[in-house]
Amino acid sequence: MTLFDETLGLLRILVRNACVNDLTPDSGGEVRNADALEDFFAAEIAAGRDSGAVTVQRLEPRPGRTSIIITVRGHDPDADPLTFLGHTDVVPVDAEHWTRDPFGAVTEGTGEDARIYGRGTVDMLGLTAPMAAVTREVAREAVSGRPPRGTLTFVGVADEEARGGLGAKWLAREHPDALDWRNCVSETGGSHLPVSDGTDAVVVTVGEKGAAQRRLHVTAEPGHGSQPWGRELAVAKIAEVARRIVEFTPEVSRDPLWSGFVSAFRFSPEIEAALLTSPEEDDYRAFGELARYAHAVSHLTVAPTVLSAGGAINVLPSSAYLELDIRTLPGQTDDDVDAELRRALGDLADEVRFERLICEPAEVSPVDSALYRAIGETVGEFFPDAAVVPVLSAGGTDLRFARRLGGVGYGFALNTRSRSLADVNAQLHAHDEHLFLDDLRLTLEAYRSLVHRFVG
């Protein structure tokens, strides 16, 4: 059996275990995937136990929410380590909108069209499986007396889809020494940009936007629903708050990541200048299918997502609130966010109370680290003519915890030339989520190359 066959077999098991995280503490059941991964490494763990060449740890803050850590010890204590952070939970499915069994892990098609269907195949079991397979290959060498130069660690971590409270966040806080956080690789990266002149560019995710969730409260005069005349209505007030928030556009990013992303597309000087200074909504259409992503990584984004007011149909409520999913750019603080919200609300701002919910700063790793250079060299091995473009993720990953502990973290996989960043983004949390087998194979080979290049 080839390494690719082993990887595909593991991916099928991980998908079929259906470790669905619905954001409640007792969901997930990642213990099933932790068991599968321990079985996958069983021979290497047994062979390396006495020498310490290969070790396993299982940690869980709550029954069933298990993270597993496999460490292959390097022979040179001064060599750079490498850690694969792969999560084992997946988001829920709306089964009636799937045309295949979301947990069947069925493969269809042949040649370039061959693919595997299932929740998590793209986010991110299709990366976790090759991470584990490459680590096991190195572990086999280690127990045979040929350890890597630097230590290689694989982590199958729980609860990523709920921002890591029972997974990486908990590990970083309660067990920071359980793994090496200095050089980490996780999701996603490795897809291609549709450069205007037809040349190639491959993205590597170097950071992610922060979170600055808010609940905006308003109050008004209560009363009987039969007599609304002359009253200030809480529902009308919160509706006006929502309208002003939606119509407000913050200034475009001045961060080099945004300017570098724009430059990678090789637009005309006029379009590039507009996108970097004061873009209009229509200017983003230059990015095609990536317009929504481009807008997200170029601005502070504020999305109204939850609205609450009243409880009885015949009562005028005395209060209402609006919840906002806010994603910040590097360098933006909570005070900056509140100032922007006040600008959006204008003369209504003094009548609105801001409540801060989850707040985390944007996190970015440098592009001059040894690991980033190794990733760039790996991309060049497979796509010699491609530019390597560092990008910001609009969402969150477990890599932010590595960065907070002083490490660097990059989202890296590798996709075929025909797979754009828009194609990959379209599969995240989607109905009929699927991964092309050519991408699984290429990611596996890229991880093998990166490990050889970085830890020996």
Side-chain angles (χ1 to χ4, degrees):
M1 182 179 292
T2 67
L3 185 64
F4 174 76
D5 292 330
E6 294 174 346
T7 303
L8 181 57
L10 175 61
L11 175 57
R12 288 192 177 108
I13 293 170
L14 298 179
V15 171
R16 290 169 181 167
N17 278 337
C19 296
V20 177
N21 186 345
D22 65 9
L23 311 189
T24 59
D26 292 318
S27 65
E30 295 93 341
V31 63
R32 298 189 293 275
N33 276 342
D35 290 344
L37 288 163
E38 187 163 4
D39 288 344
F40 186 73
F41 282 92
E44 292 71 31
I45 293 169
R49 182 174 290 117
D50 291 340
S51 66
V54 181
T55 60
V56 59
Q57 301 175 77
R58 293 169 62 110
L59 298 167
E60 59 177 32
R62 193 177 183 92
R65 309 307 303 270
T66 311
S67 294
I68 185 168
I69 304 168
I70 309 290
T71 303
V72 184
R73 190 178 64 194
H75 67 76
D76 182 355
D78 296 323
D80 284 331
L82 179 64
T83 297
F84 283 129
L85 277 178
H87 70 77
T88 59
D89 60 327
V90 300
V91 296
V93 299
D94 192 349
E96 68 179 67
H97 293 288
W98 282 65
T99 62
R100 283 86 170 170
D101 179 355
F103 302 106
V106 297
T107 53
E108 295 182 10
T110 59
E112 294 180 358
D113 194 50
R115 64 189 77 181
I116 179 171
Y117 284 86
R119 175 57 88 218
T121 50
V122 174
D123 183 16
M124 72 168 282
L125 303 178
L127 305 185
T128 300
M131 288 174 173
V134 169
T135 303
R136 187 173 74 167
E137 185 178 55
V138 175
R140 286 174 177 169
E141 292 292 311
V143 299
S144 299
R146 297 182 296 275
R149 184 179 68 254
T151 294
L152 177 64
T153 303
F154 164 78
V155 188
V157 69
D159 202 38
E160 190 276 343
E161 296 293 356
R163 299 193 68 83
L166 299 174
K169 183 177 182 178
W170 177 77
L171 288 172
R173 184 181 66 244
E174 302 295 334
H175 301 277
D177 297 329
L179 63 139
D180 200 308
W181 300 90
R182 283 178 285 174
N183 297 289
C184 294
V185 170
S186 190
E187 55 186 340
T188 49
S191 55
H192 301 257
L193 296 179
V195 182
S196 61
D197 64 3
T199 57
D200 193 13
V202 174
V203 301
V204 175
T205 307
V206 299
E208 58 199 66
K209 295 183 77 178
Q213 297 176 353
R214 294 291 187 273
R215 183 178 291 137
L216 305 189
H217 297 264
V218 300
T219 58
E221 184 182 357
H224 199 284
S226 65
Q227 299 182 45
W229 185 86
R231 297 181 190 272
E232 181 182 50
L233 303 178
V235 170
K237 185 185 287 190
I238 202 66
E240 176 62 12
V241 167
R243 186 192 67 79
R244 295 189 185 191
I245 291 292
V246 168
E247 291 186 353
F248 178 70
T249 301
E251 292 185 358
V252 71
S253 172
R254 307 300 178 188
D255 191 274
L257 282 175
W258 170 240
S259 58
F261 181 73
V262 173
S263 296
F265 282 82
R266 302 190 180 186
F267 294 131
S268 70
E270 295 77 17
I271 292 176
E272 181 169 327
L275 289 167
L276 295 178
T277 54
S278 54
E280 302 291 335
E281 291 294 317
D282 283 347
D283 292 329
Y284 285 94
R285 300 188 190 282
F287 292 103
E289 293 180 326
L290 282 171
R292 185 172 288 119
Y293 166 82
H295 183 274
V297 297
S298 66
H299 288 87
L300 172 78
T301 54
V302 183
T305 53
V306 177
L307 184 65
S308 178
I313 198 168
N314 63 340
V315 176
L316 300 174
S318 61
S319 63
Y321 68 78
L322 174 70
E323 290 184 350
L324 305 174
D325 183 6
I326 302 176
R327 304 299 174 113
T328 56
L329 293 169
Q332 290 179 325
T333 67
D334 280 307
D335 288 342
D336 294 332
V337 171
D338 288 345
E340 289 290 273
L341 293 176
R342 293 186 68 84
R343 281 210 305 135
L345 295 173
D347 60 3
L348 195 55
D350 290 339
E351 300 180 49
V352 179
R353 179 171 65 86
F354 298 174
E355 179 185 357
R356 295 180 181 181
L357 304 178
I358 293 176
C359 298
E360 296 181 305
E363 305 280 355
V364 180
S365 293
V367 295
D368 60 354
S369 71
L371 180 55
Y372 185 82
R373 289 192 293 272
I375 289 172
E377 292 167 2
T378 302
V379 172
E381 178 183 339
F382 293 89
F383 298 100
D385 298 325
V388 179
V389 181
V391 297
L392 196 63
S393 172
T397 75
D398 284 335
L399 288 172
R400 65 189 184 279
F401 303 112
R403 297 183 185 111
R404 290 173 192 172
L405 289 174
V408 297
Y410 303 100
F412 177 60
L414 209 54
N415 301 100
T416 60
R417 178 69 173 86
S418 61
R419 216 81 63 223
S420 73
L421 177 57
D423 294 330
V424 175
N425 285 348
Q427 289 299 316
L428 300 176
H429 302 183
H431 304 317
D432 282 344
E433 181 182 350
H434 59 271
L435 174 69
F436 285 92
L437 298 190
D438 278 352
D439 290 338
L440 180 65
R441 184 177 289 105
L442 193 53
T443 293
L444 176 67
E445 293 304 319
Y447 286 162
R448 291 179 85 183
S449 176
L450 177 63
V451 166
H452 176 76
R453 178 172 281 109
F454 196 71
V455 298

